[in-house]
Amino acid sequence: MWLQKEITLKAYPKGFHLITAEVMQQLPEIKPLSIGMLNLFIKHTSASLTINENADPTVRMDFENYFQRAVPENESYYQHLNEGSDDLPAHIKSSILGSSVNIPVSKGTLNLGIWQGIYLGEHRNYGGHRTLVITLQGS
């Protein structure tokens, strides 16, 4: 079985956000699968997807603090300034973290580690709703 569909995430503020439950709520088709693979792809160049700690929210805060320092706004050598001071840093962060994740599916659910969850990295101050392409394959 193959399935591909788009879902829209609610708008999040700048930072890292755990979206596993939001994705699963919009993916009832996963339930009958005993084995498979899920690919999530974000259709934006200023947000990212990654998998990391799902229990302690300070991890997500530390991620944001790290990336704010690693890729700061308002650097004098930035040339891409048309869309605001947060736009080019958002593109860089998106490229570093990536635009897709692959997750195994087992027994009708995501086969993540006990402390793993799907993060949305929202790298713009006002990013708005984000669209994900979900591609699910399995039997």
Side-chain angles (χ1 to χ4, degrees):
M1 184 275 290
W2 282 90
L3 168 80
Q4 188 171 79
K5 68 180 190 177
E6 292 188 5
I7 65 169
T8 301
L9 301 175
K10 67 181 185 178
Y12 286 93
K14 188 176 195 176
F16 288 84
H17 307 279
L18 192 58
I19 61 166
T20 312
E22 188 174 354
V23 169
M24 291 300 288
Q25 287 171 354
Q26 298 187 58
L27 192 57
E29 299 90 346
I30 199 171
K31 298 268 186 232
L33 299 181
S34 59
I35 188 171
M37 184 63 68
L38 173 70
N39 175 269
L40 298 175
F41 174 80
I42 192 162
K43 294 177 70 172
H44 304 275
T45 61
S46 57
S48 61
L49 297 172
T50 191
I51 296 172
N52 217 294
E53 164 91 35
N54 68 359
D56 184 351
T58 63
V59 173
R60 296 188 300 278
M61 289 185 267
D62 288 342
F63 264 49
E64 180 60 19
N65 288 333
Y66 170 81
F67 278 101
Q68 288 292 85
R69 286 179 179 86
V71 188
E73 296 180 17
N74 299 310
E75 289 294 331
S76 62
Y77 54 87
Y78 291 165
Q79 296 180 38
H80 177 72
L81 305 171
N82 301 358
E83 299 175 57
S85 63
D86 65 332
D87 190 51
L88 181 64
H91 293 316
I92 294 169
K93 293 169 191 175
S94 174
S95 287
I96 290 169
L97 288 160
S99 57
S100 67
V101 293
N102 290 308
I103 305 168
V105 174
S106 301
K107 300 176 185 171
T109 194
L110 301 177
N111 194 345
L112 291 165
I114 192 166
W115 305 116
Q116 289 182 316
I118 305 166
Y119 284 16
L120 166 69
E122 177 52 71
H123 307 304
R124 295 295 311 267
N125 293 325
Y126 306 101
H129 297 281
R130 298 300 191 170
T131 302
L132 301 182
V133 177
I134 293 178
T135 304
L136 179 64
Q137 189 274 326
S139 58

